[in-house]
Amino acid sequence: LWKKSGAWFFRALPTRSTLPSNVKPSSSAISSVTTKSDSISIDDDYSSSEERQSNNSQFNRRPSPSIAPPNDHYTTANSYPQNYDNTHSMIEKDRDESIDSFKTDEPSLKDFSIDEYIPKSQIRSSSQPPIASSSSSSPSPIPSLISNATSSPTTNTRPLTSLPLNASSSTEDCGLGILDFDIVWREALNILTVTLIRARSLRAADLNGLSDPYVKLHIVPGVAKATKLRSHTIRRTLNPDFDETLVYHGISSEDIKTKWLKFTVLDEDSVGADLLGEYRLKLSKVKPELKEIFSVYLQNKTELPLDEDKNERGKILISLLYSKMTSNFHVRILRGIQLLPMDFGQTSDPYCKLLLYPSTDTNSKWSFKTTVKKHTLQPDFNEEFVFPHIQLQELISKTLQIAVYDKDMGKKDDYIGGFELGQSSSGDELRHWLLMVKSPEKWIEMWHKLKPDQYNSS
């Protein structure tokens, strides 16, 4: 600071006491030397902080605008500090901070843990303790941590809350690594959302000592091809950060009670894939509207005979409306999920048939077909059909039949599954039909499970 202020220069100048007695300096020179010698102490290095503060304040003092400066020299000397107002109040602080700024930032040297990653998928409160990263050769799963933040409420849904859950207590470390994910089930929307966060300490499956990991999800029991969801592949790593969300639609409370969610971690190869580990989560542990984080040990592969269930044909989402103003019955076929693959290559070309019977009006059309969706087991139809000129009392006694087929060329189309809505139905089919009748001018939407039985409309 002493060098930068130029004190060394003014210290070298002759003072009034060293001038020869026969030399009489001019008044402006005396004023200049007096001002500079007063504002900068010769013993600056050894002066106290109080003296430096007083000197600096004197050096930065600005002349009053109502008093004209005595000469041009004072005007020039005092015009320079005008650009540095309040500088004297920060000199000591800046000198200390300039030294501290070169210190190593200790938090930046910490090992990366799930604490730095969790905010990507959820907001954690500041009151929660940090998660200790694993440092031993046999890492232990990280306890489940849940955020206290709630998502914005949607129509007919409760706000998303959180509940801590330790999912790692029932599994043992097999040396295959750890998988971190979070899961939430929206009961009102029948949506199950799974966010893959990361995996750690995976097994090396390639010759270079690394792997190309990815994750497959299946809902079991069910058709493996129909319920499969896949993450992207992370190349050349044993500690992948996935940060990917996979969504299952049409997950009902019955599915939550009876099914499992299977995680399979694989190493992608040019031909085939190597198993790195798997984990099974019982869906009954998942609470509605609660977002939970799991950190689990990967296990060896287990083959269960009930994993593959050919009776599972998939589900269809439809919406019904009856209009008293027009006497029309409206049906929307919205989408299908987890349809049974019927073609070679484990896929289908699905379409839907709609039939309202018994028919009494020969001039009206009582059957419709949707368009064919090529090579998919999760079709999005979004098509609306209208059965015109039908009174509500007549509609109550009728039955709506919906069947899903796989389109084939050169042979009969394959039947995938279907269901019927009407007074003679039961369960969700009867409930959906009665809600439509009791709520005219209102769309009633519901998922329906396809049944293997083929209905006869005659």
Side-chain angles (χ1 to χ4, degrees):
L1 180 63
W2 181 71
K3 289 183 179 180
K4 290 183 180 179
S5 64
W8 59 272
F9 174 76
F10 296 111
R11 184 178 180 181
L13 293 177
T15 61
R16 294 179 58 183
S17 59
T18 60
L19 289 175
S21 59
N22 58 350
V23 178
K24 296 181 178 181
S26 62
S27 60
S28 60
I30 295 174
S31 301
S32 175
V33 173
T34 303
T35 302
K36 296 173 181 177
S37 62
D38 291 340
S39 61
I40 302 175
S41 174
I42 296 176
D43 298 329
D44 184 73
D45 290 341
Y46 305 96
S47 61
S48 63
S49 59
E50 290 82 0
E51 292 174 348
R52 286 198 301 270
Q53 186 173 358
S54 63
N55 289 339
N56 287 331
S57 61
Q58 184 179 359
F59 181 81
N60 291 319
R61 185 178 295 114
R62 184 181 299 180
S64 174
S66 61
I67 302 176
N71 51 45
D72 294 338
H73 181 81
Y74 271 95
T75 304
T76 305
N78 287 326
S79 63
Y80 177 77
Q82 291 179 6
N83 296 330
Y84 298 89
D85 294 340
N86 300 325
T87 305
H88 61 278
S89 63
M90 297 183 293
I91 290 178
E92 294 297 326
K93 180 179 178 181
D94 290 343
R95 184 170 64 179
D96 294 338
E97 290 180 352
S98 64
I99 299 174
D100 294 339
S101 63
F102 290 96
K103 296 179 180 180
T104 304
D105 188 9
E106 294 179 1
S108 65
L109 299 179
K110 293 182 178 180
D111 295 335
F112 182 79
S113 66
I114 197 172
D115 261 343
E116 289 78 11
Y117 189 86
I118 285 178
K120 295 183 180 180
S121 57
Q122 71 178 90
I123 304 174
R124 298 181 54 204
S125 65
S126 59
S127 62
Q128 289 174 325
I131 303 176
S133 60
S134 175
S135 60
S136 62
S137 60
S138 178
S140 60
I142 301 167
S144 302
L145 293 179
I146 306 302
S147 71
N148 295 326
T150 59
S151 63
S152 58
T154 57
T155 305
N156 298 327
T157 59
R158 292 179 292 172
L160 180 64
T161 56
S162 302
L163 183 71
L165 177 64
N166 189 353
S168 61
S169 58
S170 60
T171 59
E172 297 180 356
D173 184 8
C174 296
L176 299 178
I178 296 174
L179 179 65
D180 298 331
F181 61 92
D182 66 55
I183 186 169
V184 59
W185 175 47
R186 295 280 192 173
E187 183 178 13
L189 302 177
N190 297 112
I191 293 177
L192 182 69
T193 303
V194 182
T195 300
L196 300 173
I197 300 177
R198 67 176 190 175
R200 288 295 180 263
S201 305
L202 297 181
R203 179 175 62 87
D206 296 337
L207 296 177
N208 58 3
L210 300 173
S211 294
D212 302 318
Y214 67 95
V215 180
K216 288 199 302 184
L217 301 183
H218 293 91
I219 293 181
V220 294
V223 180
K225 184 66 176 180
T227 64
K228 184 186 76 171
L229 294 179
R230 185 190 191 280
S231 74
H232 62 284
T233 302
I234 308 296
R235 300 289 179 182
R236 296 181 294 278
T237 180
L238 300 180
N239 302 287
D241 293 316
F242 294 105
D243 191 22
E244 185 170 358
T245 299
L246 305 175
V247 180
Y248 280 105
H249 293 272
I251 304 300
S252 64
S253 57
E254 181 183 355
D255 296 329
I256 294 294
K257 294 177 182 177
T258 60
K259 296 191 176 183
W260 298 67
L261 181 61
K262 184 173 74 170
F263 298 80
T264 307
V265 183
L266 300 165
D267 166 60
E268 182 177 345
D269 292 328
S270 56
V271 178
D274 300 322
L275 178 68
L276 300 180
E278 74 171 35
Y279 177 78
R280 292 173 182 254
L281 174 66
K282 193 173 184 179
L283 290 180
S284 59
K285 295 182 179 180
V286 179
K287 307 301 180 183
E289 314 300 334
L290 296 178
K291 188 173 185 178
E292 303 166 332
I293 293 183
F294 294 83
S295 184
V296 297
Y297 289 123
L298 293 175
Q299 305 295 308
N300 293 311
K301 186 176 182 180
T302 56
E303 292 288 351
L304 299 179
L306 298 180
D307 282 358
E308 193 76 11
D309 187 2
K310 293 296 183 181
N311 291 326
E312 295 284 343
R313 299 301 180 103
K315 296 180 181 181
I316 295 292
L317 178 63
I318 68 171
S319 186
L320 306 179
L321 177 142
Y322 179 78
S323 175
K324 287 186 175 180
M325 298 177 61
T326 60
S327 298
N328 292 339
F329 177 44
H330 300 256
V331 180
R332 287 179 180 172
I333 307 296
L334 299 177
R335 66 184 306 170
I337 60 165
Q338 304 172 19
L339 299 184
L340 183 67
M342 305 297 292
D343 295 339
F344 180 77
Q346 297 295 302
T347 186
S348 292
D349 302 320
Y351 69 93
C352 295
K353 282 184 180 180
L354 292 80
L355 177 64
L356 186 65
Y357 71 92
S359 175
T360 57
D361 189 355
T362 57
N363 296 326
S364 300
K365 187 174 182 181
W366 297 91
S367 62
F368 299 93
K369 285 184 180 182
T370 67
T371 57
V372 178
K373 302 299 179 180
K374 294 287 188 180
H375 309 298
T376 180
L377 301 178
Q378 324 287 336
D380 288 323
F381 294 106
N382 294 316
E383 298 183 38
E384 182 177 345
F385 305 94
V386 179
F387 297 91
H389 312 302
I390 180 172
Q391 299 300 318
L392 182 59
Q393 295 299 325
E394 297 178 9
L395 179 63
I396 294 176
S397 61
K398 295 184 181 297
T399 300
L400 175 65
Q401 181 185 111
I402 298 179
V404 182
Y405 290 86
D406 167 53
K407 183 67 176 178
D408 289 328
M409 299 297 294
K411 65 176 184 177
K412 184 179 178 180
D413 295 343
D414 297 322
Y415 178 76
I416 297 177
F419 57 91
E420 289 185 343
L421 304 176
Q423 286 184 330
S424 59
S425 302
S426 61
D428 288 340
E429 289 80 7
L430 178 60
R431 178 169 168 262
H432 196 179
W433 188 258
L434 294 179
L435 286 175
M436 179 271 300
V437 172
K438 294 179 180 179
S439 306
E441 313 297 337
K442 181 180 179 180
W443 286 102
I444 307 297
E445 184 177 296
M446 193 175 293
W447 286 95
H448 293 283
K449 191 174 181 179
L450 298 179
K451 301 176 182 178
D453 302 331
Q454 192 162 0
Y455 297 96
N456 186 3
S457 60
S458 60

